[in-house]
Amino acid sequence: MKNVQRKFLGLTLALVVCATFAWDFLPLPDAQARLAALPQTGPNFTSRELPLTPGEAVIFGKARVMKRLYQVESRRFVVTVIDGTLNRHAVHDPLYCFRGAGWTVQRESSFAVPNGEARWLDLTKGAEEREALDWFTDGAQRYVSPLRYWWQTTLRRLTLSRSGEEPVLVILQPVDESSLDWRALTKSFPALFDF
């Protein structure tokens, strides 16, 4: 390799490293305004904020997390929404967390939701059974691909948020029962799919 080529390569590498560090210090708009639009009360539902467990606080770090207990008619469930603008590593495929917490995925299927799809999980831990519903959303579309999430957030950082809204991860889990009628819930609580 010629001396000129080495200098050019070194300069290019230095610019890439500097740009990488600069992006970490450039503030990007987060999804908090969208999350604040998710109503806490309404004609057929109520909710209350839930604190993060110490373990969750460590895992999520600087990521912004909204965790609420909702009651829609007689159904009670927890909604966890993770905005990874300040910590992209906190947002990943929820299967890792479920498996890490000792749950075994018995069944995984696609579930149609307004403007996209969610993932419906049947989980077991010993004799305990539970369901969960999860999806990523940028406010316009809902999808289940962590790769698409990663691509969207990377493109958003490269374009300094000009490519669109920050996608968030949404996870729903029933409280009182092992499962919920998710189809009825999507009809009785459409606000879940508006943010």
Side-chain angles (χ1 to χ4, degrees), residues 49-79:
E49 299 291 327
L50 295 175
L52 296 178
T53 65
E56 288 172 331
V58 169
I59 290 169
F60 296 135
K62 291 182 180 180
R64 296 207 170 117
V65 181
M66 180 191 75
K67 187 176 175 184
R68 286 187 191 156
L69 172 65
Y70 274 92
Q71 179 157 350
V72 179
E73 296 164 346
S74 64
R75 300 175 204 90
R76 288 173 20 111
F77 58 95
V78 173
V79 175

Side-chain angles (χ1 to χ4, degrees), residues 100-160:
W103 293 95
T104 301
V105 178
Q106 296 299 321
R107 187 174 61 108
E108 176 182 338
S109 56
S110 181
F111 182 78
V113 295
N115 297 320
E117 69 172 326
R119 180 173 47 191
W120 187 348
L121 300 170
D122 284 325
L123 307 162
T124 59
K125 184 194 295 187
E128 193 176 352
E129 296 179 6
R130 172 133 334 144
E131 288 183 355
L133 202 64
D134 68 70
W135 67 88
F136 297 94
T137 180
D138 59 8
Q141 296 180 330
R142 280 123 199 92
Y143 55 91
V144 296
S145 170
L147 185 60
R148 180 174 172 184
Y149 166 82
W150 178 83
W151 172 247
Q152 241 183 332
T153 58
T154 300
L155 184 61
R156 189 170 182 273
R157 278 158 180 72
L158 289 173
T159 63
L160 300 176

Side-chain angles (χ1 to χ4, degrees), residues 5-15:
Q5 289 174 325
R6 272 188 251 162
K7 286 182 182 179
F8 179 74
L9 184 61
L11 180 61
T12 302
L13 182 61
L15 288 173

Side-chain angles (χ1 to χ4, degrees), residues 27-36 52 56 59-67 79-92 135-139 143 149 152-153 156-157 161 164-171 195:
L28 292 175
D30 60 23
Q32 290 306 300
R34 286 190 0 244
L35 299 185
L52 296 178
E56 288 172 331
I59 290 169
F60 296 135
K62 291 182 180 180
R64 296 207 170 117
V65 181
M66 180 191 75
K67 187 176 175 184
V79 175
T80 305
V81 183
I82 307 162
D83 172 6
T85 304
L86 300 177
N87 180 6
R88 228 173 33 161
H89 303 293
V91 181
H92 50 270
W135 67 88
F136 297 94
T137 180
D138 59 8
Y143 55 91
Y149 166 82
Q152 241 183 332
T153 58
R156 189 170 182 273
R157 278 158 180 72
S161 77
E165 294 287 329
E166 180 71 18
V168 297
L169 172 61
V170 182
I171 304 170
F195 69 95

